Amino acid sequence: MNRSLTSRFAWKRRLNGVLNWIFPSDATTCAICGRPAFTVGASSHWPSQSENSRLCAFCVQDLERCQVAVERHALQVENAPDRRIDVYSGIDYDAFVRTLFRSFKYDGVIELAPFFAHVLFACWQTLDEFACDCIVPVPTAADRIRKRGYDHVRLLAERLARHVQLPVRPALLRVPRGGAFTQSQTAKNAELRRRELAGVFVPNSRRPIVGRRALLLDDVATTGATLAACANALFASGANSVIAIVAARVR
């Protein structure tokens, strides 16, 4: 079973597939907008690898128009040898991309994983061939995974790993705060994010990172606070180097 999906979410999707086979419908709806859909085949921009990916022609067209333009910027990281790491991002977090991420993260539309993995692959292609030897996904809070049914960042990391032939190494764990449900970081400013993320990411003793060249992966970079906190934890755990890639950037 895919480690990025909870058993409940995976079985729910399988059950829906069985019900659709037993009670076929003439109209298959798009996973994003609900309009009549078709099974996505190979695209010149992002080949879908799932036969269950069903998107309408309009949404596919919108995705095709989403131009990938990889950008690099420096992020201040206290524990880094140069006190900075490079962060590579693929697309702007505009209104359309925000809608896509909301569907992907909160509405169970994992059919969008191939598109975002394509964007991350474009970022990876700009790196030196031997810059990294493992992919470290930014850990998602356990309560979020239980509620959504899947770990969207781990899902992207595993898909990218198959393309670039690198192992996924969950070298970080996310420590819950006070037993409360994890709050979204979206509307918080940089300073508040940094304070609230202090001590949240800790080393995973079962997946040591000592001497490794880590490719830190996340979905969106807003202030960079999450990436910085994770990078600091990786360097403190003995990582030799850290480079970060994200699908989208908030300007």
Side-chain angles (χ1 to χ4, degrees):
M1 184 176 292
N2 193 323
R3 293 181 181 179
S4 58
L5 309 181
T6 65
S7 57
R8 180 180 180 181
F9 184 82
W11 280 111
K12 181 179 178 180
R13 287 178 65 86
R14 290 177 182 175
L15 177 60
N16 287 338
V18 171
L19 292 176
N20 289 337
W21 179 74
I22 298 175
F23 306 105
S25 172
D26 292 334
T28 300
T29 58
C30 176
I32 299 176
C33 68
R35 288 178 289 203
F38 61 93
T39 300
V40 176
S43 164
S44 59
H45 295 287
W46 54 285
S48 172
Q49 298 182 353
S50 172
E51 294 180 357
N52 295 322
S53 296
R54 295 189 177 276
L55 304 174
C56 72
F58 299 100
C59 288
V60 169
Q61 190 176 52
D62 287 339
L63 290 172
E64 293 282 1
R65 290 173 180 163
C66 220
Q67 295 297 320
V68 178
V70 178
E71 295 184 7
R72 181 185 70 176
H73 74 272
L75 177 65
Q76 183 176 351
V77 173
E78 183 179 348
N79 292 340
D82 299 328
R83 292 191 174 275
R84 58 178 287 277
I85 65 169
D86 287 331
V87 179
Y88 294 80
S89 57
I91 54 179
D92 287 333
Y93 193 71
D94 57 22
F96 175 64
V97 173
R98 182 168 60 249
T99 299
L100 294 180
F101 267 112
R102 184 164 190 82
S103 297
F104 177 55
K105 290 177 65 172
Y106 305 116
D107 298 335
V109 187
I110 61 175
E111 286 83 1
L112 286 169
F115 169 72
F116 290 123
H118 158 70
V119 176
L120 291 166
F121 180 69
C123 295
W124 180 85
Q125 286 182 306
T126 66
L127 305 180
D128 180 85
E129 182 180 0
F130 302 105
C132 307
D133 59 17
C134 64
I135 299 174
V136 179
V138 170
T140 303
D143 53 4
R144 294 283 185 181
I145 297 174
R146 287 193 297 269
K147 181 177 181 179
R148 300 170 187 168
Y150 55 98
D151 184 342
H152 69 290
V153 179
R154 180 71 178 264
L155 189 64
L156 295 178
E158 291 176 347
R159 187 170 286 272
L160 178 65
R162 293 197 292 269
H163 285 298
V164 303
Q165 299 299 303
L166 288 178
V168 174
R169 197 168 189 83
L172 295 174
L173 300 175
R174 188 165 187 148
V175 179
R177 285 296 186 89
F181 188 79
T182 305
Q183 295 182 355
S184 173
Q185 299 289 317
T186 304
K188 300 175 183 177
N189 60 37
E191 180 59 30
L192 182 57
R193 285 186 183 213
R194 281 193 291 269
R195 289 202 307 266
E196 292 193 352
L197 289 172
V200 168
F201 301 106
V202 298
N204 182 356
S205 59
R206 296 183 178 181
R207 295 292 187 273
I209 200 72
V210 177
R212 305 300 291 264
R213 305 185 304 278
L215 181 63
L216 181 62
L217 183 150
D218 203 0
D219 55 352
V220 181
T222 306
T223 66
T226 298
L227 292 175
C230 288
N232 272 321
L234 290 173
F235 280 118
S237 303
N240 185 55
S241 64
V242 177
I243 296 175
I245 62 172
V246 296
R249 55 188 168 261
V250 177
R251 294 194 183 279

